[in-house]
Amino acid sequence: MSDLGGEATTGGLAASYPQGPKLGVDVGQVRVGLAGCDRDGLLATPIRTLKRDPRRNSDVRILVREAIERGAVQVIVGLPKNLSGREGASAEMARAYADLVVQELHRQARPLPVRLVDERLSTVSAHRSLHSAGLSSREHRKVVDQVAAVEILQHAIDMQRSRGRDVGDPVPARDAEGAQGPLLTPTEEPDIKDSTPSRRDPES
């Protein structure tokens, strides 16, 4: 793939997906991991972990602020399907969270496209990577959500480049009454303390 005139190409055809920095999101009941990628969409790297705040959704506001400050052109949220491909409670939670992100983006007049991408095995892969790096199970908790977000985003940008098109399911905007609107097109809260167990930990 090459970049000609600001547009990525694959096989001589212009790629039909947003070009630029992107944000990857791993949603958990307790924590939310964030990852970002470079402007060329080649490498995903960890950013930070946020504490989930279901009452005030301060984490959603921090996430959107992160996307805006980084000049993100797209937000990729992991959709944790079962190995069979079915969706359970975790997938429902991810869809609800992605909807909150879309609402906050619109509230701030930054209607970035948000897409849900299958994240089967991303958490397993994240734990394996951390284990290979020599981190203990206790140390895993501090960064596993970020690493899972990296897995989600890297998988998405790799598929975009190889297919030359966008991947995942677009998250539609909703109007004030809660009805789905048209699909989106590209266009001082504290940090979390890392001591809270994640949904992925046996203790949680």
Side-chain angles (χ1 to χ4, degrees), residues 79-96:
L79 183 65
K81 295 182 180 180
N82 299 325
L83 292 179
S84 63
R86 296 181 178 179
E87 295 185 14
S90 294
E92 182 178 348
M93 178 178 63
R95 287 188 179 277

Side-chain angles (χ1 to χ4, degrees), residues 57-103:
N57 291 321
S58 61
D59 53 310
V60 177
R61 294 194 296 274
I62 296 172
L63 185 157
V64 168
R65 184 179 67 195
E66 195 77 46
I68 294 172
E69 290 178 352
R70 290 176 175 270
V73 297
Q74 187 177 48
V75 178
I76 301 291
V77 179
L79 183 65
K81 295 182 180 180
N82 299 325
L83 292 179
S84 63
R86 296 181 178 179
E87 295 185 14
S90 294
E92 182 178 348
M93 178 178 63
R95 287 188 179 277
Y97 194 86
D99 191 59
L100 289 174
V101 173
V102 168
Q103 291 178 38

Side-chain angles (χ1 to χ4, degrees), residues 5-195:
E7 290 190 355
T9 60
T10 176
L13 299 175
S16 57
Y17 58 87
Q19 304 296 309
K22 294 164 189 175
L23 202 68
V25 184
D26 176 62
V27 182
Q29 289 182 331
V30 177
R31 296 196 293 241
V32 177
L34 301 184
C37 73
D38 57 286
R39 185 168 297 278
D40 294 324
L42 299 176
L43 182 65
T45 54
I47 295 177
R48 66 195 297 184
T49 301
L50 305 176
K51 183 177 181 179
R52 185 70 185 96
D53 179 15
R55 292 186 62 186
R56 298 183 302 140
N57 291 321
S58 61
D59 53 310
V60 177
R61 294 194 296 274
I62 296 172
L63 185 157
V64 168
R65 184 179 67 195
E66 195 77 46
I68 294 172
E69 290 178 352
R70 290 176 175 270
V73 297
Q74 187 177 48
V75 178
I76 301 291
V77 179
L79 183 65
K81 295 182 180 180
N82 299 325
L83 292 179
S84 63
R86 296 181 178 179
E87 295 185 14
S90 294
E92 182 178 348
M93 178 178 63
R95 287 188 179 277
Y97 194 86
D99 191 59
L100 289 174
V101 173
V102 168
Q103 291 178 38
E104 181 63 19
L105 284 165
H106 274 262
R107 190 184 72 82
Q108 297 198 27
R110 298 294 186 100
L112 302 177
V114 178
R115 298 184 79 90
L116 287 154
V117 175
D118 188 351
E119 68 149 304
R120 273 175 283 185
L121 300 180
S122 65
T123 302
V124 174
S125 179
H127 277 291
R128 285 176 178 170
S129 298
L130 293 170
H131 181 73
S132 298
L135 273 69
S136 68
S137 297
R138 182 176 296 275
E139 292 172 316
H140 282 198
R141 298 177 204 162
K142 299 178 181 180
V143 294
V144 67
D145 304 275
Q146 295 177 40
V147 176
V150 168
E151 296 279 350
I152 292 165
L153 182 56
Q154 189 68 56
H155 177 58
I157 60 180
D158 286 347
M159 286 197 300
Q160 286 176 333
R161 291 201 314 275
S162 65
R163 299 179 183 182
R165 59 177 174 81
D166 221 339
V167 295
D169 301 326
V171 182
R174 296 177 184 274
D175 59 26
E177 286 72 37
Q180 289 189 355
L183 297 183
L184 297 177
T185 55
T187 53
E188 190 86 53
E189 293 83 2
D191 288 352
I192 170 183
K193 295 180 181 179
D194 287 318
S195 58

